[in-house]
Amino acid sequence: MHIRLLLVVLSLLILNCEDKQSSKIKLQSKTDSVQKTETKTEKPQQKKPDSTHQKLDEKNALEFFLHYEPKNTSRRARILTDFGNIEIELFTETKYHRANFVFLTKQRYFSNTQFYRVVPNFVIQAGNSDNPEIAKRRNRIGRYLLPKDTQHGFTHERGVLSMPSSEIENPHKLASPYEFFIVTQQGGAHHLDGDYTVFGKVIKGMDVVDEISKQPTDSRNWPITNIYIKNVELLD
């Protein structure tokens, strides 16, 4: 009788322990489920926008090029034209203008733009077009101007690259960043010194420059047959 009672008590104790252990397992399982749910609903970190493709304007352009310039150190480029190739060196001293040219080249802005102004024994000017696609590119990149940078001693010798003033009238002759001209005048065009920024020079292909300068133009100095820049390539 005592033995039977003892067995009943032992059975009840064992069942009670199993129920408690089962409750612990269920509770732990529920906690794990909550933790997994919280992990799934956690918001992912947003990527920072790529600053190299921000739309530029008069407020942010100079700061953009200040940071862009030391990270993009190309100094030589090749301009591919209908008449052959022109290789140029970009001056590090005019850092905003060099960085701007490198940036536009990487954006493929110059592809299919034109030498739209040809003045014999003076300059050939490039970077524009009557194609609406070019206007769309400018709109995508942004509307901004660059300040003159003429304190480095560069002058308008034959073969240099310089940046024209914007079509917008401005007393400080701020430069139009999308365009450039190459001096073809024998002896240079030094009456331009101090007003326009010289930011590079032709190091190969001056014969191509001279051939372009011989092409017939209309009354606005626009070549009668369009002269295209097929592409601009960075060489270093």
Side-chain angles (χ1 to χ4, degrees):
M1 180 68 179
H2 290 290
I3 294 172
R4 185 178 298 173
L5 180 61
L6 181 61
L7 290 172
V8 170
V9 171
L10 287 172
S11 298
L12 289 172
L13 286 172
I14 291 170
L15 288 172
N16 187 43
C17 289
E18 288 180 348
D19 287 344
K20 288 182 178 180
Q21 184 66 24
S22 176
S23 297
K24 287 181 180 179
I25 293 171
K26 288 179 181 179
L27 179 61
Q28 184 65 39
S29 176
K30 184 177 181 181
T31 303
D32 289 345
S33 176
V34 171
Q35 289 176 344
K36 289 178 181 178
T37 303
E38 289 175 351
T39 301
K40 287 181 180 179
T41 57
E42 185 179 349
K43 292 183 179 180
Q45 292 182 350
Q46 294 183 351
K47 293 183 178 180
K48 294 181 179 180
D50 186 351
S51 62
T52 59
H53 295 92
Q54 72 184 75
K55 191 167 183 176
L56 300 180
D57 56 35
E58 293 183 12
K59 294 180 180 179
N60 65 19
L62 290 185
E63 183 178 359
F64 170 79
F65 286 122
L66 181 66
H67 296 288
Y68 185 89
E69 187 268 338
K71 298 177 182 178
N72 297 269
T73 58
S74 298
R75 291 188 56 189
R76 296 186 304 124
R78 180 184 293 122
I79 303 170
L80 286 68
T81 81
D82 293 333
F83 291 87
N85 299 337
I86 305 166
E87 292 188 13
I88 61 174
E89 176 188 344
L90 303 170
F91 299 150
T92 56
E93 291 87 344
T94 51
K95 60 182 182 179
Y96 289 116
H97 297 73
R98 184 195 65 81
N100 174 76
F101 192 91
V102 170
F103 172 71
L104 293 180
T105 297
K106 289 187 175 183
Q107 295 292 311
R108 298 184 63 83
Y109 166 75
F110 293 112
S111 298
N112 295 316
T113 57
Q114 299 171 21
F115 285 92
Y116 66 93
R117 182 174 179 238
V118 171
V119 184
N121 195 32
F122 181 40
V123 299
I124 59 173
Q125 192 160 318
N128 208 336
S129 175
D130 52 2
N131 186 338
E133 177 60 32
I134 305 305
K136 291 179 182 178
R137 287 184 202 171
R138 291 190 181 202
N139 183 62
R140 175 177 57 83
I141 295 170
R143 183 179 175 87
Y144 61 102
L145 301 174
L146 294 177
K148 287 190 303 181
D149 190 0
T150 59
Q151 71 270 27
H152 305 291
F154 302 126
T155 60
H156 286 80
E157 304 286 345
R158 171 174 155 82
V160 301
L161 276 74
S162 189
M163 195 169 288
S165 294
S166 167
E167 293 179 358
I168 303 171
E169 290 296 328
N170 65 86
H172 302 293
K173 294 186 181 293
L174 298 180
S176 172
Y178 294 104
E179 300 161 19
F180 63 92
F181 63 86
I182 301 174
V183 175
T184 62
Q185 185 171 329
Q186 296 293 336
H190 295 291
H191 62 285
L192 303 178
D193 295 346
D195 285 336
Y196 306 94
T197 301
V198 175
F199 67 98
K201 66 180 180 180
V202 175
I203 56 176
K204 186 178 180 180
M206 198 63 196
D207 56 329
V208 176
V209 173
D210 288 335
E211 189 62 29
I212 292 173
S213 71
K214 296 176 184 176
Q215 301 310 303
T217 63
D218 62 17
S219 59
R220 302 172 301 159
N221 300 124
W222 194 296
I224 292 173
T225 301
N226 287 333
I227 303 172
Y228 287 97
I229 293 177
K230 298 176 182 178
N231 194 20
V232 175
E233 302 170 342
L234 298 174
L235 300 180
D236 57 12

